[in-house]
């Protein structure tokens, strides 16, 4: 039996809107526009999912909240499908997404998929392993329609792995996903 998966990038976060990061990446909330996007997204959602999955990050939980409210009897689970955190939180505290570009460039120029910088949670290869674990977990599920709220870089690695390719740091970082963009695939 194949499961239909909708992998959805969270709505606009405060950081995406240019607000300075005064909280950990995991606690970056949705912007006012992001909350409106999430409400509109749920309002247009016609097919009831069998399972809703979010990352532990605030912005994915807030993005899923209106859909969870619309379908209160659908089970909700939190999985380790959070964004790739490759930067030291002390370095990016108080910066905007644009200002953090220097740290992204440093990481990209290093081009070392095993590199885990000071304060970083994982290497790029750790992210790939986390994606592989996510895909394996999906294969064990009996639900026919699973809606997953996650993050841009995580989704890009899923996309590569679903096509049987080894993800590359530069391609992953340069790919741009719109807020609430859906990657549809079957397992």
């Amino acid at each position: 039996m194949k499961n239909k998966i909708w992998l959805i990038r969270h709505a606009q976060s405060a950081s995406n809107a240019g607000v300075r990061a005064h909280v950990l990446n995991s606690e970056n909330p949705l912007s006012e526009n992001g909350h409106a996007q999430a409400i509109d997204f749920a309002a247009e959602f016609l097919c009831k999912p069998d399972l809703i999955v979010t990352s532990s990050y605030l912005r994915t939980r807030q993005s899923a909240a209106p859909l969870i409210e619309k379908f209160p009897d659908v089970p909700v689970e939190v999985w380790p499908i959070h964004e790739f955190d490759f930067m030291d939180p002390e370095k990016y505290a108080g910066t905007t997404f644009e200002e953090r570009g220097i740290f992204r460039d440093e990481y990209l120029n290093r081009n070392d998929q095993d590199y885990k910088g000071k304060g970083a949670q994982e290497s790029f290869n750790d992210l790939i392993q986390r994606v592989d674990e996510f895909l394996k977990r999906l294969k064990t599920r009996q639900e026919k329609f699973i809606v997953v709220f996650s993050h841009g870089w995580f989704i890009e690695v899923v996309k590569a792995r679903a096509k049987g390719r080894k993800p590359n740091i530069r391609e992953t970082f340069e790919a741009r996903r719109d807020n609430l963009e859906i990657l549809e695939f079957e397992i």
Side-chain angles (χ1 to χ4, degrees), residues 21-184:
H22 293 292
V23 295
L24 293 175
N25 190 13
S26 60
E27 295 306 313
N28 180 20
L30 291 184
S31 66
E32 187 176 314
N33 182 49
H35 282 289
Q37 288 174 337
I39 290 167
D40 291 346
F41 180 81
E44 294 177 13
F45 209 97
L46 302 177
C47 187
K48 180 179 174 181
D50 298 309
L51 175 66
I52 298 171
V53 176
T54 73
S55 82
S56 60
Y57 283 26
L58 179 60
R59 59 190 176 273
T60 59
R61 291 177 298 156
Q62 288 177 330
S63 296
L67 190 65
I68 293 166
E69 187 175 311
K70 182 174 183 172
F71 300 112
D73 58 327
V74 172
V76 178
E77 296 181 9
V78 177
W79 291 6
I81 56 172
H82 52 277
E83 187 58 282
F84 176 42
D85 279 330
F86 60 93
M87 288 189 279
D88 180 352
E90 291 180 18
K91 279 187 173 181
Y92 70 71
T95 63
T96 65
F97 181 81
E98 189 174 301
E99 291 167 344
R100 289 188 298 280
I102 189 168
F103 304 123
R104 285 188 299 280
D105 290 345
E106 284 175 13
Y107 188 84
L108 280 174
N109 292 335
R110 181 179 285 275
N111 198 28
D112 178 355
Q113 294 200 169
D114 289 315
Y115 176 70
K116 184 175 172 179
K118 176 187 173 251
Q121 291 185 7
E122 62 190 346
S123 70
F124 192 75
N125 280 332
D126 292 335
L127 170 63
I128 294 170
Q129 182 178 355
R130 202 160 39 86
V131 165
D132 289 346
E133 289 166 8
F134 164 72
L135 293 171
K136 282 181 200 170
R137 187 173 187 177
L138 284 174
K139 288 178 184 178
T140 69
R141 301 306 295 225
Q142 299 303 310
E143 295 87 358
K144 292 184 181 186
F145 180 32
I146 302 173
V147 175
V148 180
F149 288 86
S150 188
H151 305 266
W153 291 328
F154 186 90
I155 293 170
E156 285 307 311
V157 174
V158 169
K159 184 175 157 185
R161 295 310 264 178
K163 292 180 178 179
R165 293 187 304 108
K166 180 163 178 147
N168 151 325
I169 294 171
R170 187 161 300 280
E171 286 175 8
T172 300
F173 273 55
E174 290 175 352
R176 291 288 173 245
R177 291 205 154 273
D178 291 333
N179 297 115
L180 297 171
E181 182 178 340
I182 301 169
L183 172 63
E184 293 182 50

